[in-house]
Amino acid sequence: MGKHESLASQALARIGKDWSKSSLTREKLLSNTREFARHVASSYGLERIDHLKPGHIQSYVNSLHERGLSPSTMARTR
């Protein structure tokens, strides 16, 4: 991974594209990954996906709760 590669790019490189899914589903999953990466980068200044901790994930889930998303919407936001 490049030194200046964004957190979102690092996350997307790790996940890759799941070609077994429809293009709309694939794009939604990639979009959610970008949103998560933006959250942890802006909230914690995280620069490397290797430094991701469970607390970062919990913080993102808490932010979804604060936005008032229903549990079914949060389940699709992965």
Side-chain angles (χ1 to χ4, degrees):
M1 282 178 222
K3 183 176 180 180
H4 300 289
E5 191 173 17
S6 74
L7 190 62
S9 295
Q10 293 173 49
L12 292 171
R14 284 278 177 99
I15 293 171
K17 287 187 177 179
D18 184 353
W19 293 104
S20 67
K21 307 254 187 247
S22 75
S23 63
L24 292 176
T25 300
R26 192 170 51 245
E27 285 306 312
K28 178 64 176 162
L29 293 172
L30 295 175
S31 173
N32 290 341
T33 301
R34 285 185 208 97
E35 180 184 349
F36 170 75
R38 279 191 299 270
H39 171 80
V40 294
S42 66
S43 297
Y44 299 100
L46 197 67
E47 294 179 358
R48 298 209 24 129
I49 199 69
D50 298 335
H51 299 150
L52 186 66
K53 304 285 188 235
H56 298 129
I57 297 167
Q58 186 61 52
S59 168
Y60 180 66
V61 171
N62 291 344
S63 76
L64 296 176
H65 282 286
E66 290 168 5
R67 288 170 36 194
L69 298 179
S70 70
S72 62
T73 301
M74 284 189 274
R76 290 189 303 268
T77 308
R78 48 185 165 95

